């Protein structure tokens, strides 16, 4: 086989002129991030990131992001199993419902959660009778993060579960294994790549959440002001300085890149 034939086999027969819009699209993604990096004051980066306001926002983001991820795992794993093991019609309907937060503007999600947990709603008034207030609290931050992050875990795990099928589960059941044993020793280990990818993406989405948190939880420093909210506040002339805002933006960028590299590097060999 000639070199040209081998190159054609590898690259296919895509028209070469399409490289122009492809490069423009790549530039649209990369250039804004490059502009952000160029605006970083490297001489004050450490002091900006370690300022009391920045540390407060960073600590709150990490804490609530971890809690929201745990909530997503507890709720999302059963939901992914339900979708993966349902019929085509039921699975399609459930998958569509799970996907809604991905296409819904986060602000709309925040308004919806405010209407659900607000004092005038049936659930909010019932909780108020028990002395529980959810909106504009740290709990609201966790709920908002879980709302926008849950689909990432469910869809990643559901796809992995469908790819592995049920053959090994049936074999384990035929050998006398119970349902919980099959789940713990067969189903989840086989779907581990999707589970790990979903958890990592879920955490990354949670700490980057802004819109739903702003409307449902507010922007109180030390209580509900996460990193995205601290960045927004700084660029509107209040709270932390713009240098800190740029530093926090860079920190979120590094976190996102790290998450992508972690997901890409995760490889688990599954038996065939």
């Amino acid at each position: 086989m000639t070199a040209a034939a081998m190159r054609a086999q590898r690259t296919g027969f895509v028209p070469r002129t399409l490289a122009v819009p492809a490069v423009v699209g790549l530039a649209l993604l990369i250039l804004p991030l490059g502009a952000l990096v160029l605006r970083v004051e490297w001489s004050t980066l450490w002091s900006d990131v370690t300022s009391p306001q920045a540390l407060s926002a960073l600590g709150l983001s990490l804490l609530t992001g971890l809690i929201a991820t745990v909530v997503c795992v507890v709720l999302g794993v059963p939901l992914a199993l339900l979708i993966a093991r349902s019929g085509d019609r039921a699975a399609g309907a459930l998958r569509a419902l799970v996907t809604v937060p991905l296409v819904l503007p986060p602000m709309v999600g925040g308004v919806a959660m405010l209407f659900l947990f607000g004092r005038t709603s049936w659930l909010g008034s019932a909780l108020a009778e028990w002395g529980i207030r959810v909106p504009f609290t740290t709990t609201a931050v966790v709920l908002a993060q879980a709302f926008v992050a849950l689909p990432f875990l469910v869809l990643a795990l559901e796809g992995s579960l469908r790819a592995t099928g049920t053959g090994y589960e049936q074999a384990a059941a035929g050998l006398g294994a119970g349902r919980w044993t099959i789940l713990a020793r067969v189903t989840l280990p086989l779907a581990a790549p999707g589970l790990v990818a979903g958890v990592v993406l879920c955490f990354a989405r949670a700490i980057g959440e802004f819109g739903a948190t702003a409307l449902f939880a507010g922007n109180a420093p030390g209580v509900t002001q996460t990193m995205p909210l601290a960045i927004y506040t700084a660029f509107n002339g209040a709270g932390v300085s713009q240098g800190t805002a740029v530093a926090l933006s860079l920190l979120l960028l590094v976190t996102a890149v790290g998450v992508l590299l972690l997901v890409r590097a995760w490889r688990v060999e599954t038996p065939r």
Side-chain angles (χ1 to χ4, degrees):
M1 182 180 293
T2 65
M6 294 178 62
R7 184 167 58 254
Q9 185 179 24
R10 184 178 66 253
T11 61
F13 299 91
V14 177
R16 294 179 179 179
T17 54
L18 290 182
V20 176
V23 171
V24 174
L26 187 62
L28 179 62
L29 298 175
I30 294 178
L31 291 181
L33 301 179
L36 170 65
V37 175
L38 292 176
R39 286 295 301 272
V40 174
E41 294 290 342
W42 298 102
S43 60
T44 61
L45 177 61
W46 180 252
S47 60
D48 288 335
V49 173
T50 57
S51 66
Q53 298 91 341
L55 289 177
S56 175
L58 175 61
L60 184 63
S61 291
L62 295 177
L63 176 61
T64 55
L66 285 172
I67 297 174
T69 302
V70 172
V71 172
C72 289
V73 170
V74 172
L75 302 179
V77 171
L79 181 53
L81 286 165
L82 176 63
I83 297 175
R85 298 300 183 252
S86 296
D88 291 339
R89 290 187 177 181
L94 291 172
R95 195 179 299 113
L97 291 174
V98 170
T99 308
V100 168
L102 294 179
V103 298
L104 192 69
M107 290 288 186
V108 177
V111 172
M113 299 193 75
L114 191 59
F115 285 159
L116 176 62
F117 291 97
R119 293 182 179 179
T120 58
S121 70
W122 64 271
L123 181 57
S125 59
L127 292 174
E129 293 181 359
W130 291 87
I132 300 175
R133 182 176 67 90
V134 176
F136 308 108
T137 64
T138 306
T139 302
V141 177
V142 174
L143 290 176
Q145 291 174 338
F147 176 79
V148 299
L150 182 61
F152 288 88
L153 187 145
V154 173
L155 295 178
L157 179 57
E158 187 258 339
S160 186
L161 288 168
R162 282 193 175 274
T164 57
T166 60
Y168 290 101
E169 295 177 358
Q170 294 173 1
L175 294 173
R179 291 179 179 267
W180 286 103
T181 301
I182 294 174
L183 176 65
R185 297 189 178 184
V186 179
T187 307
L188 292 181
L190 288 175
L195 178 60
V196 173
V199 168
V200 175
L201 292 173
C202 179
F203 174 72
R205 181 63 184 89
I207 63 174
E209 162 52 27
F210 171 77
T213 304
L215 283 178
F216 183 45
N219 189 18
V223 180
T224 62
Q225 189 179 81
T226 56
M227 281 196 292
L229 288 168
I231 295 169
Y232 175 80
T233 301
F235 277 103
N236 279 276
V240 299
S241 65
Q242 287 199 9
T244 301
V246 174
L248 286 175
S249 299
L250 179 64
L251 184 59
L252 283 177
L253 174 61
V254 171
T255 301
V257 173
V259 165
L260 293 177
L261 292 176
L262 179 61
V263 173
R264 182 176 177 81
W266 177 262
R267 293 291 184 269
V268 176
E269 292 293 335
T270 56
R272 297 182 182 275

